[in-house]
Amino acid sequence: MIFHCFPQQSGSTKMAEQKTFIIQNRERIQAVENTFGHTGKMLQKPGRILVGEGCLLKLCRRGPKPKAFFLFNDMLVYGSIMVPGRWNSNQKIIPLEDVQLENLEDGMAMPNQWLIRTPRKSFYVSAASPEEKNEWIVHIEQYKSLLVQAKGLPTDNAEGNFAAAWIPDMASAICMRCSQRFNVANRRHHCRRCGYIVCRACSKSRALLPNISSRPVRICRACVSSVHEGKEQGHKRAKGKHWKKNSMDDTETVPEFETSSDEEICEQGYQVATKWFKSPEDEDYSPYCYLKPEHMNPPDSGLSTGQM
C-alpha cells in the first residue's frame, strides 16, 4: 500500500475535485455498462461508486475461468470476458451485504485464492498475485462494512445460510455418494445443498432451498433426510413437503440455478491488472490505482463490430 499526503486545499478546490470525481465516476460506470451491452442491467444509480475492476480466475465446474470483476460501493458485479476490455457477457450482480469472504491457502490449480460466499451462490476466485488478492479482500470487506453500517444491518449472515461452493468436475472421476464411475452414460451432477459431485441415480430428488431458488433444485440422497426432517437452514417443515422424486430426464429444462450457467467460451489469461479508483476523500490508495483510457471516453456501445 502506498500512502500519499495531499496539501491543504481550499473549499472551492475540494468542490471542484468532487465535481470532477462525480463526472469521472459516471463515465467509468457507463463504460462498464457498455461492455455488457443490452444483455446487462443498468448500473448507474445516485450515490453508486465504481471502486475498482480487474480480471480474476473463477473456479467453475470445468476448471478455472477468467472473469471480469467490478467492485462498487454497494455490490460486486462479474461477467464472462468475450473481448477483453470491450465486451463482457453473462452479467452477475451480488449485493455486498450478502457477501462473506474466506481467505484460503494456495491450491495447485488456484494460487492466491479465496472463497466468496453468498446465500444464492458461493465460489472460489484467485488473483494474479498475493498483493492483488489482499487488495480485493480489503476493499470488499471495507465497503461491505460501510454499507452494512449505513443500512443498520447485522454484520454477518446467519450461520449456514450460504450456498455451498460446487466441487469442480475434475476433482472426482466417481460419484461422491455411491462411487460409481462417470462416463458418457453416467454424467456428473451437483447437489445444490452440499456441492458434491454425484450421479443421476444419487440426485433424483428435488428440494426447495429458498436462498438458492424459488423452485425445487437437485439434491443428493445424503441431503434428502436433512431436508425431509426440516433441518435445512434451521426452518421447521412438514414431512416431505418440499422435496419429491425427479420425473424429468436430463434433456428437459431444469429450474433456475440448476445449471452452471457461467461456464464460459473465452479462456484467455489475465489481460490487465486490477485498478482501484481514488475518491477525493481518500488519503491513500492502491499501487494499482490508475484510469483506463477508455474510461475517460467510453464508447457508445461495446458490442458493435467496428469498436472491437
Side-chain angles (χ1 to χ4, degrees), residues 119-185:
R120 302 194 74 176
K121 188 178 184 68
S122 298
F123 51 91
Y124 299 90
V125 292
S126 73
S129 68
E131 294 78 16
E132 190 173 4
K133 167 188 173 179
N134 182 66
E135 290 291 342
W136 272 101
I137 292 176
V138 168
H139 279 82
I140 292 174
E141 291 184 337
Q142 173 188 352
Y143 283 93
K144 176 192 173 180
S145 178
L146 292 172
L147 183 64
V148 166
Q149 291 178 20
K151 290 187 173 183
L153 300 173
T155 55
D156 291 306
N157 199 341
E159 185 177 357
N161 199 31
F162 293 99
W166 285 14
I167 297 175
D169 286 0
M170 61 184 178
S172 182
I174 61 174
C175 174
M176 301 178 76
R177 294 305 182 194
C178 71
S179 299
Q180 287 293 317
R181 183 167 291 276
F182 295 118
N183 52 44
V184 176

Side-chain angles (χ1 to χ4, degrees), residues 154-286:
T155 55
D156 291 306
N157 199 341
E159 185 177 357
N161 199 31
F162 293 99
W166 285 14
I167 297 175
D169 286 0
M170 61 184 178
S172 182
I174 61 174
C175 174
M176 301 178 76
R177 294 305 182 194
C178 71
S179 299
Q180 287 293 317
R181 183 167 291 276
F182 295 118
N183 52 44
V184 176
N186 188 31
R187 297 169 50 211
R188 290 174 172 83
H189 298 278
H190 280 83
C191 172
R192 273 55 178 179
R193 184 176 183 272
C194 66
Y196 277 25
I197 304 171
V198 291
C199 66
R200 184 170 182 267
C202 289
S203 59
K204 289 183 177 180
S205 296
R206 297 292 185 269
L208 181 62
L209 307 182
N211 59 307
I212 294 178
S213 173
S214 60
R215 293 179 289 177
V217 292
R218 184 187 299 272
I219 62 170
C220 69
R221 60 174 62 182
C223 290
V224 168
S225 59
S226 294
V227 176
H228 186 65
E229 294 169 4
K231 295 181 180 178
E232 180 64 30
Q233 301 170 351
H235 294 296
K236 294 183 179 180
R237 299 171 180 167
K239 185 176 181 180
K241 182 178 179 181
H242 295 307
W243 68 274
K244 59 181 179 179
K245 292 292 184 178
N246 177 32
S247 60
M248 300 183 299
D249 60 35
D250 289 336
T251 62
E252 293 186 57
T253 303
V254 290
E256 59 181 316
F257 292 95
E258 274 288 274
T259 59
S260 180
S261 58
D262 48 8
E263 291 299 321
E264 296 317 323
I265 300 172
C266 180
E267 297 189 17
Q268 303 174 31
Y270 289 96
Q271 300 296 327
V272 293
T274 298
K275 303 154 197 66
W276 303 110
F277 305 113
K278 174 183 173 293
S279 71
E281 290 77 18
D282 290 338
E283 296 182 357
D284 59 86
Y285 59 95
S286 164

